[in-house]
């Protein structure tokens, strides 16, 4: 069962989802206006012919890309394929994971709805909590309070894409994703986009709880109890460091420690996510 | 001997050229950081609320909440001091509540509960002669 799971070409599935996400993203960008983000997103759903289809296709394929990327990481760690990667390359690929998450996250922010708006401002304030570097990082990535979604849009469209490509290029360039082998995935994505509209939540004045994106819920919950720098920066970095330490070049003792740390982190994040869901 | 000196010179020049390129690349970081960190000063915004409120009534704008009682009219920011989410006004509890982490504030902008630590910003309000109010944020 586990072997069959690991035998699935998750990397290829991930790459095909990325291609679909980029292509649908280009189509969406032709009509999207970051100056009026919510109006733009909602008019895409309500007014534009096939607008909701293209927006939903971009939404679902981006989700597939990120989820299958996580599964791909899990599979290569589980069956030992990580040993084929040099340490430097492994570190670059681990670094590409938060960049992929940021790509997905900025997509939520660009919707300009209640979820995206709040999530963007939270992310901005988390960055500002980093001593010394915080302001420069925020000006580089978000700066929503001062500049609206201008920088978020530039990063979603170009900056983060180039950064992700740069970090993973040496790995990705060796593989060819045979689109013809993934007809089922493509048809499923198209059908999903036709049937289920991508979520869009207008601000509701009588609502006193706005849950963030699904992958952000655990972070949103921990931010209630711990200061933004520790909860929003140090806590997520612990997982990234633990993941980096899973490379076979590390001593078995260090690897066992990192494995325990990563597992514990995932368990804690799951509990936090469930707590956040219980509030909704 | 001359060959060895030439080799050393070439090595020195190559190393020096490498350091020069590194220094030139790093020197671009400073103007980049200065450029992206600069905040263009914002012109204070004057927002007109085109309705007159009765004492006890509340007006929710995108950036502020306007309150009126028998003696005065005042506006407080809707930006939560914890992580910047937009606050909502809970009519029954008479409090501003953050939908992200449930920080609570009084209508005067004082922090009451939750992870936020600071009070809300209070903005000056001018009642207009004809109708409505002018809020400067």
């Amino acid at each position: 069962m586990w072997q069959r799971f690991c035998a699935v070409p998750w990397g290829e599935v991930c790459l095909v989802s990325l291609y679909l996400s980029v292509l649908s993203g280009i189509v969406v960008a032709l009509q999207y206006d970051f100056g009026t983000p919510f109006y733009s997103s909602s008019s895409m759903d309500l007014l534009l012919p096939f607008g909701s289809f293209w927006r939903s296709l971009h939404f679902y394929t981006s989700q597939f890309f990120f989820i299958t990327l996580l599964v791909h990481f899990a599979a290569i760690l589980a069956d030992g394929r990580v040993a084929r990667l040099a340490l430097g390359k492994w570190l670059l690929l681990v670094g590409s994971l938060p960049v992929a998450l940021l790509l997905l996250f900025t997509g939520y922010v660009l919707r300009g709805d209640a979820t995206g708006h709040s999530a963007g401002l939270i992310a901005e304030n988390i960055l500002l909590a980093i001593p010394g570097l915080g302001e420069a990082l925020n000006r580089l990535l978000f700066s929503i309070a001062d500049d609206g979604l201008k920088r978020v849009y530039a990063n979603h469209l170009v900056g983060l894409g180039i950064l992700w490509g740069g970090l993973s290029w040496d790995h990705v360039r060796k593989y060819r994703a045979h689109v013809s082998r993934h007809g089922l995935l493509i048809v499923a994505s198209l059908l999903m986009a036709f049937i289920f509209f991508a979520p869009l939540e207008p601000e509701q004045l009588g609502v006193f709880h706005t849950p963030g994106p699904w992958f952000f819920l655990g972070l949103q919950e921990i931010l209630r109890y711990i200061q933004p720098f520790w909860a929003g920066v140090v806590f997520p970095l612990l997982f990234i460091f633990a993941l980096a330490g899973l490379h076979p070049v590390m001593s078995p003792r260090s690897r066992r420690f990192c494995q325990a740390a990563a597992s514990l982190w995932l368990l804690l994040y799951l509990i936090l996510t469930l707590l956040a869901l219980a509030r909704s | 001997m001359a060959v060895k000196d030439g080799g050393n010179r070439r090595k020195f020049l190559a190393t020096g050229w490498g350091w020069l390129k590194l220094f030139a690349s790093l020197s671009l970081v400073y103007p980049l950081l200065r450029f992206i960190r600069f905040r263009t000063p914002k012109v204070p915004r004057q927002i007109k609320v085109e309705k007159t409120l009765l004492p006890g009534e509340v007006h929710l704008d995108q950036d502020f909440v306007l309150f009126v009682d028998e003696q005065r009219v005042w506006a407080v920011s809707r930006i939560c001091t914890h992580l910047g989410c937009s606050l909502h006004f809970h009519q029954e509890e008479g409090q501003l509540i953050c939908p992200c982490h449930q920080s609570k504030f009084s209508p005067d902008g004082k922090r009451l509960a939750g992870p936020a630590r600071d009070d809300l910003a209070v903005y000056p309000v001018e009642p207009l002669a004809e109708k409505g109010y002018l809020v400067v944020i």
Side-chain angles (χ1 to χ4, degrees):
Chain A
M1 171 81 177
W2 186 246
Q3 279 174 340
R4 279 180 68 185
F5 167 79
C6 289
V8 174
W10 290 111
E12 217 173 289
V13 175
C14 173
L15 212 52
V16 172
S17 300
L18 176 66
Y19 292 156
L20 290 173
S21 167
V22 170
L23 289 174
S24 54
I26 291 169
V27 177
V28 168
L30 295 175
Q31 288 282 6
Y32 178 79
D33 178 8
F34 67 83
T36 52
F38 182 66
Y39 178 75
S40 190
S41 307
S42 50
S43 62
M44 213 174 285
D45 277 6
L46 300 169
L47 300 175
L48 266 73
F50 297 102
S52 64
F53 165 71
W54 288 112
R55 200 177 74 78
S56 302
L57 186 64
H58 185 51
F59 176 81
Y60 289 121
T61 51
S62 305
Q63 305 283 331
F64 288 159
F65 160 64
F66 184 66
I67 292 167
T68 51
L69 183 66
L70 293 180
V71 175
H72 181 45
F73 263 87
I76 64 158
L77 281 168
D79 66 7
R81 270 180 291 163
V82 65
R84 291 189 215 156
L85 297 167
L87 177 66
K89 202 191 262 188
W90 170 245
L91 293 180
L92 286 179
L93 290 172
V94 169
S96 76
L97 204 57
V99 179
L101 183 72
L102 267 176
L103 268 168
L104 190 66
F105 180 78
T106 47
Y108 272 89
V109 177
L110 287 171
R111 295 192 327 206
D113 62 351
T115 306
H117 180 68
S118 300
L121 290 169
I122 291 173
E124 169 159 0
N125 282 280
I126 287 173
L127 283 186
L128 287 172
I130 302 173
L133 268 180
E135 198 182 337
L137 273 176
N138 177 51
R139 299 289 291 167
L140 189 66
L141 285 170
F142 293 105
S143 195
I144 299 169
D146 283 338
D147 300 300
L149 295 183
K150 185 170 67 183
R151 295 182 192 212
V152 179
Y153 189 55
N155 284 315
H156 183 74
L157 222 64
V158 186
L160 290 169
I162 289 177
L163 186 58
W164 188 87
L167 290 169
S168 51
W169 176 245
D170 195 43
H171 174 67
V172 171
R173 72 191 169 96
K174 292 181 186 153
Y175 299 96
R176 292 282 170 275
H178 300 280
V179 175
S180 56
R181 274 200 242 156
H182 297 279
L184 192 64
L185 171 72
I186 295 167
V187 171
S189 304
L190 292 171
L191 277 178
M192 209 158 162
F194 257 120
I195 299 167
F196 305 107
F197 291 165
L200 191 69
E201 286 112 28
E203 191 186 30
Q204 292 171 302
L205 294 179
V207 172
F208 295 96
H209 177 64
T210 306
W214 61 270
F215 51 84
F216 199 66
L217 287 174
L219 192 63
Q220 189 177 1
E221 186 63 24
I222 199 174
L223 280 163
R224 286 171 187 278
Y225 318 111
I226 303 176
Q227 283 302 303
F229 173 67
W230 297 101
V233 182
V234 176
F235 177 63
L237 279 179
L238 289 178
F239 180 70
I240 298 298
F241 283 127
L243 203 58
L246 291 177
H247 192 273
V249 83
M250 308 295 280
S251 70
R253 198 169 161 218
S254 306
R255 253 191 304 161
R256 268 200 303 277
F257 175 76
C258 288
Q259 208 167 8
S263 309
L264 198 68
W265 191 97
L266 284 173
L267 181 69
L268 183 61
Y269 202 79
L270 178 71
I271 293 169
L272 287 165
T273 303
L274 292 175
L275 275 174
L277 280 173
R279 288 182 194 277
S280 313
Chain B
M1 193 67 182
V3 173
K4 196 179 173 190
D5 278 352
N8 280 342
R9 199 181 304 120
R10 265 196 296 279
K11 198 176 165 190
F12 173 77
L13 286 173
T15 312
W17 179 236
W19 279 105
L20 196 67
K21 280 194 287 188
L22 181 68
F23 179 75
S25 310
L26 286 178
S27 65
L28 280 177
V29 174
Y30 179 71
L32 173 72
L33 283 178
R34 286 296 304 272
F35 179 78
I36 59 171
R37 284 187 67 174
F38 185 79
R39 290 172 181 216
T40 310
K42 295 260 188 250
V43 180
R45 282 195 298 149
Q46 295 190 331
I47 297 165
K48 201 171 172 185
V49 178
E50 289 181 336
K51 63 179 177 185
T52 301
L53 305 177
L54 294 171
E57 279 189 329
V58 174
H59 171 77
L60 218 62
D61 206 273
Q62 196 184 330
D63 300 305
F64 60 86
V65 193
L66 186 69
F67 294 96
V68 177
D69 67 14
E70 279 79 7
Q71 281 91 42
R72 61 189 181 124
V73 50
W74 73 101
V76 292
S77 166
R78 271 188 76 188
I79 300 169
C80 180
T81 54
H82 177 221
L83 291 170
C85 296
S86 286
L87 301 165
H88 291 176
F89 184 65
H90 198 294
Q91 198 81 38
E92 286 166 19
E93 291 185 20
Q95 291 174 347
L96 290 152
I97 300 177
C98 176
C100 295
H101 302 102
Q102 279 70 49
S103 289
K104 294 180 177 180
F105 301 87
S106 73
D108 286 327
K110 297 268 178 278
R111 178 210 168 259
L112 300 173
R117 288 180 163 182
D118 299 319
D119 295 340
L120 299 174
V122 179
Y123 301 127
V125 183
E126 249 180 68
L128 295 171
E130 63 276 23
K131 183 184 165 192
Y133 309 91
L134 200 66
V135 183
V136 184
I137 64 170

